[in-house]
Amino acid sequence: MRQPKDQIMEPVASNNVEESINNTGSASVLQKNGLTRRDLLWCAGGAAVTLGLGAAIKAFGSEDVLRPPGGQNEDRLLALCLRCQKCTEACPRHAIVPLGTESGFITMRTPTMDYHLGDCDYCVEENDGIPLCVAACPTEALHLGEEATRNNTVIGEPLLIKNWCLAYRLTRCRDCYDVCKLDAIRLDSADRPHIEWDKCNGCGECEHVCRSMTAGTPVPGATHRAIIIVPMGQGGEM
Amino acid sequence: MAEKTTETPLESADAQETPKQPKKPAKKAAKKHDNRSPLSKLRSYTPLLVVLVCAIAFVANVPLGNISSFGWEAISAICPVGSLSVFLASKVFVPRILISLVIAVVLILLFGRAFCSWICTVPLVQKMLNIRSISIEDQRKDAKMRERKSRKKNTNKKASTEVNTVAEDADSAVSVALSQEERAEISQQMAQVANSHACALHSPKKWDSRHVVLGGSLLSAAIFGFPVFCLVCPIGLSFATVYLVLRLFTGQVSWALVVVPVMLLAELLIFRKWCYKICPVSALMSLISFGNKTFVPHINKDKCIETTKGKTCSRCNTVCPEGINLHDYSAGKFGINDCIKCRRCVDACPTKAITMPFLPPKDE
Ligand code: SF4
Ligand code: SF4
Ligand code: SF4
Ligand code: SF4
Ligand code: SF4
Ligand code: SF4
C-alpha cells in the first residue's frame, strides 16, 4: 500500500507550474461563454445540411413499391417508418425485406414485399390472421383500421405474362391456381390461368410457387416469373 | 492491484520522458488494462453484445428491433430523435410512440448519456476505423508516439513554443522535451493536452452544433414529411449493414450492401468528431440529462488529492472523453449533463475518490 502513495507524489512535483498554466489559460480565453467562429461554422453547416438533405431526398422522389399489410398509405409509411426493420424480423414467412436503393433514396430501408422466400398469408397460419408485422411496428407506420380484413387489405395486383407462363404452352401447369386461397385465379377450358381481379389481394402465393423461371424451368426471354405481384395499377394479363 | 491503479497515461508519459527516474518494471505497461474495474471492462463488450443480440434476433425472426427501437410490440425504447422526428413528420398522434418517448426520457433521466459509452455502435465502428474521437487516452498515446518520433527529428526545438499548438488539438501534440530541466514543461504540456483537447473554452457551452443539427433535423422532418436524420443516422446504418450481411446467407443481394456501409464509413471518416459536433442523439440526451441526478460521478473530498493536499492532480479531467471537470463543472469543455457514464474517471483516480452512486451523497 505504500507504493501508490509514492507514485501519487510524483506528478505533484510540477504542481505549481501546472497551476500557473491553468490560471493564465483562463485569463487568456478569448471566447467566454459563446461559440467560436469554427463552432458557428459547424452550426451553420449542420442546419444547411439537415434541411438540404431533406429537400434533396424528397426531390429525388421514389417509385411505387409493394408494402406489407397496413403500409398502403405511402405518405404515412414514409413519415412514420423509422427504418428499424422490425417488420422484416417479425414476418414468419420472410416475405418482408428492406428496400435498397432501387426505388429511390427516401424509401431506402423501408419495408417491401419480396415473394421469393415466402408469401403473405396475413398471418392466418401463424397468428390467427393478426398480422405480426403490424403488431411489431413500433411507430404504427404499418397500421390496420378496425375494418381491415385479409380480403380488403390489398398489397398489390398480379401481372401475368402469358408468353412466359408454362400453362400457355399447354403444359398443364396449374400451381398458382392450386395455391391461391382467395380463389382469385380461374382456369379456362385449356387449363390456362386467368386473374379474378376483384378477389386478389396481392398475397404473392402464386408468385412464390410459379414454376416459370424457377429452378429447372427457364423460359426463353423471361426476366422474372410468369406471375408476379406489382403495385396497384401496374398489373394485368399480357 | 493497488500498484496498478496508479498507472495512468499522465504518469507513464512522465516515465517516458524521464528514463532516469526509478521506475517500475516495464511489464506494468502490458498489464495496464487490468486497472479497470469489472464494470468498466464490461463496458467495452456491451455494444458488441447488443449487436450480437440484435443479429441473433434478426436471424431467429424475433422482432426485437435494434437500438433505433428496441423492445416488443407496443413497448419499446425508440430513439428519442426518431420518435420526435416521425411525430413531427407524420403529424399523427400514435400512442405507442408517446409510450416509447416516455420510456426513453425516463431511461435518460436515470442513466444520462450512458447510451453513448455502453450501447451505441458508432464508437465501435470508429474504433474499427481507428478514429479516436471518443477516447482521450488513445489520443494521448498517439501524441506520445508522435512526440517520440519528432524528438528524433528536431532535437533542439523548444517545447514551450508549441504549447499553443498543443492546446488547439491533442492530435498536434508533437511537443518535444529533452532534458531533466524541462520536465516541468512537459508536465505542463501533458496537462495542457489533457485539458485542452477538452477545454479550448473554460465554460461549457449551453448548446453547440449538435443541437443545431438536432433542431435542423426535426425541422426538416416536419417540413418534408419523413424522418430525415434516420435515413443517414450512423447507428441505423451500422445495424442495416449487419442485417444486409446476414441477408446474404439467404441469397438476398442488393446494391444497398455497398451503399449502406459506404454511407456509414463516409460519415464517420469525413466527420471524425461525429459524436462531439454532429450527433443529434447526443444533443437531445444531453438536454434531457440536465435532469439526471443518478449515477453522477462524485468526488469524495476526503480522498481526492486536490482537496486533501491542495495539489493538482486533474487525472479525472484528463481521462474524461467529454472533457468534464468534476471539481468545477463550469470549467470543463462539456457540462456534467454530457457525462457518458464511462467510468474512466472512477478508474483513473489514484486514491479511488470517485464513485458513481445511485443517488448523490448528502454529505455536502
Ligand atoms: S401479415 Fe404476416 S405474413 Fe403477411 S407480411 Fe405481415 S408478417 Fe408477413
Ligand atoms: S417495423 Fe415499422 S418502423 Fe420498423 S421498418 Fe417496419 S414499417 Fe418501418
Ligand atoms: S392471385 Fe396470387 S396474389 Fe392474388 S390472391 Fe391468389 S395467390 Fe394471392
Ligand atoms: S404457376 Fe406460373 S407457370 Fe404455372 S400456370 Fe401459374 S403463372 Fe403459369
Ligand atoms: S454521440 Fe451519438 S454517435 Fe456518438 S456514441 Fe453517443 S449516440 Fe452514439
Ligand atoms: S465524468 Fe467520468 S464517467 Fe462521465 S464521461 Fe467523464 S470520465 Fe466518463
Side-chain angles (χ1 to χ4, degrees):
Chain A
M1 277 313 287
R2 254 176 228 160
Q3 260 170 347
K5 277 189 191 160
D6 296 346
Q7 295 212 333
I8 293 155
M9 299 310 286
E10 224 183 291
V12 159
S14 53
N15 260 339
N16 300 332
V17 198
E18 275 180 33
E19 218 136 33
S20 65
I21 283 282
N22 282 344
N23 290 341
T24 53
S26 61
S28 66
V29 169
L30 296 168
Q31 308 83 6
K32 267 180 192 145
N33 198 18
L35 302 157
T36 62
R37 193 166 299 172
R38 206 199 286 177
D39 287 332
L40 287 174
L41 263 170
W42 276 99
C43 290
V49 167
T50 45
L51 289 169
L53 205 62
I57 293 173
K58 189 89 187 180
F60 194 70
S62 62
E63 292 165 15
D64 287 348
V65 287
L66 298 178
R67 295 298 191 188
Q72 277 63 45
N73 181 342
E74 184 71 9
D75 285 343
R76 180 190 167 107
L77 185 118
L78 284 180
L80 282 173
C81 180
L82 282 168
R83 283 81 173 156
C84 73
Q85 310 189 11
K86 258 189 177 180
C87 44
T88 304
E89 290 180 306
C91 180
R93 302 170 87 92
H94 307 273
I96 306 179
V97 298
L99 277 164
T101 42
E102 310 84 60
S103 48
F105 196 79
I106 193 170
T107 53
M108 203 171 163
R109 286 156 58 211
T110 56
T112 192
M113 307 307 279
D114 179 341
Y115 294 131
H116 283 81
L117 289 178
D119 59 284
C120 167
D121 73 341
Y122 211 69
C123 287
V124 166
E125 261 174 52
E126 295 82 5
N127 200 32
D128 294 330
I130 301 160
L132 287 164
C133 50
V134 176
C137 180
T139 58
E140 291 186 9
L142 303 179
H143 176 72
L144 291 169
E146 291 287 309
E147 65 297 332
T149 63
R150 181 180 187 183
N151 291 302
N152 69 13
T153 305
V154 181
I155 298 168
E157 58 187 21
L159 171 68
L160 173 67
I161 298 177
K162 293 174 180 170
N163 252 345
W164 299 349
C165 170
L166 302 179
Y168 282 83
R169 297 168 185 228
L170 304 178
T171 58
R172 307 233 153 197
C173 171
R174 43 178 267 178
D175 286 17
C176 53
Y177 169 79
D178 288 339
V179 297
C180 180
K181 295 197 180 68
L182 301 185
D183 295 327
I185 293 179
R186 132 185 90 77
L187 296 182
D188 62 17
S189 52
D191 276 356
R192 294 174 302 194
H194 295 275
I195 317 276
E196 296 278 340
W197 295 99
D198 49 344
K199 290 187 182 163
C200 173
N201 78 341
C203 77
E205 206 162 354
C206 52
E207 174 178 342
H208 181 56
V209 300
C210 179
R211 295 230 172 176
S212 165
M213 282 300 284
T214 41
T217 52
V219 175
T223 49
H224 53 68
R225 296 175 187 191
I227 189 163
I228 57 166
I229 310 305
V230 291
M232 295 305 284
Q234 298 176 18
E237 287 179 36
M238 46 177 54
Chain B
M1 273 314 283
E3 175 188 291
K4 286 170 212 151
T5 47
T6 56
E7 173 78 4
T8 66
L10 181 60
E11 194 162 356
S12 50
D14 280 6
Q16 300 284 357
E17 308 304 336
T18 58
K20 281 174 204 166
Q21 297 273 321
K23 268 289 139 195
K24 297 273 157 331
K27 263 191 211 163
K28 233 176 51 172
K31 285 191 200 164
K32 222 187 109 184
H33 284 290
D34 291 352
N35 68 10
R36 297 179 307 162
S37 65
L39 257 182
S40 311
K41 274 185 227 162
L42 182 67
R43 180 178 57 79
S44 24
Y45 298 109
T46 43
L48 214 56
L49 211 67
V50 171
V51 175
L52 210 65
V53 167
C54 294
I56 291 170
F58 187 80
V59 173
N61 266 101
V62 180
L64 214 54
N66 53 58
I67 56 185
S68 310
S69 79
F70 191 84
W72 191 263
E73 302 203 344
I75 312 294
S76 54
I78 305 182
C79 160
V81 175
S83 49
L84 283 179
S85 296
V86 296
F87 171 67
L88 291 170
S90 65
K91 287 129 194 137
V92 176
F93 173 73
V94 179
R96 56 169 75 179
I97 297 184
L98 189 69
I99 297 174
S100 308
L101 193 60
V102 170
I103 293 177
V105 169
V106 168
L107 285 175
I108 296 167
L109 284 177
L110 254 180
F111 299 107
R113 276 185 61 194
F115 174 81
C116 290
S117 65
W118 288 81
I119 297 174
C120 187
T121 47
V122 169
L124 211 63
V125 183
Q126 285 172 329
K127 212 185 261 172
M128 289 193 295
L129 294 175
N130 226 9
I131 298 171
R132 272 89 185 261
S133 89
I134 202 138
S135 168
I136 200 164
E137 287 153 297
D138 287 342
Q139 291 204 354
R140 290 165 59 87
K141 267 181 232 152
D142 265 4
K144 250 190 294 163
M145 286 285 285
R146 258 171 266 165
E147 202 174 314
R148 241 174 286 153
K149 273 185 210 155
S150 69
R151 195 189 323 168
K152 282 179 199 153
K153 282 185 202 156
N154 38 354
T155 23
N156 288 323
K157 209 161 184 188
K158 252 228 151 212
S160 53
T161 56
E162 299 214 341
V163 168
N164 287 334
T165 357
V166 171
E168 190 55 35
D169 192 333
D171 278 340
S172 58
V174 288
S175 49
V176 191
L178 314 167
S179 61
Q180 281 285 63
E181 303 100 320
E182 279 179 328
R183 181 161 177 262
E185 245 162 335
I186 295 149
S187 339
Q188 277 173 30
Q189 283 165 29
M190 293 316 284
Q192 275 289 80
V193 172
N195 291 338
S196 66
H197 162 74
C199 59
L201 300 177
H202 268 242
S203 53
K205 289 162 261 178
K206 295 265 176 336
W207 56 275
D208 51 66
S209 51
R210 294 173 303 157
H211 299 84
V212 177
V213 172
L214 172 67
S217 304
L218 295 181
L219 186 65
S220 193
I223 296 173
F224 300 109
F226 68 100
V228 178
F229 184 76
C230 292
L231 265 69
V232 295
C233 172
I235 305 172
L237 288 175
S238 51
F239 276 97
T241 307
V242 173
Y243 292 159
L244 280 162
V245 170
L246 291 175
R247 281 176 56 211
L248 276 181
F249 293 102
T250 53
Q252 293 165 284
V253 191
S254 140
W255 275 110
L257 189 56
V258 178
V259 178
V260 168
V262 163
M263 276 171 69
L264 172 65
L265 297 188
E267 280 169 20
L268 296 183
L269 284 171
I270 294 170
F271 303 107
R272 297 180 82 86
K273 290 186 175 160
W274 182 273
C275 295
Y276 302 102
K277 299 283 191 197
I278 304 213
C279 184
V281 186
S282 83
L284 188 56
M285 287 193 292
S286 80
L287 290 177
I288 301 172
S289 289
F290 275 116
N292 165 244
K293 296 285 172 264
T294 43
F295 304 111
V296 177
H298 171 263
I299 298 178
N300 183 341
K301 299 249 154 78
D302 299 333
K303 284 187 179 172
C304 171
I305 297 174
E306 297 205 353
T307 46
T308 52
K309 301 205 172 74
K311 309 213 160 144
T312 310
C313 165
S314 280
R315 282 184 204 171
C316 45
N317 184 215
T318 305
V319 295
C320 179
E322 299 289 316
I324 294 164
N325 187 332
L326 290 175
H327 286 279
D328 177 7
Y329 294 158
S330 62
K333 181 189 183 189
F334 288 102
I336 191 68
N337 60 314
D338 266 307
C339 170
I340 59 175
K341 316 286 186 204
C342 65
R343 302 182 61 86
R344 285 188 176 93
C345 51
V346 176
D347 290 340
C349 180
T351 57
K352 298 206 163 165
I354 305 177
T355 50
M356 285 175 60
F358 176 62
L359 288 171
K362 294 199 174 82
D363 54 2
E364 294 135 67

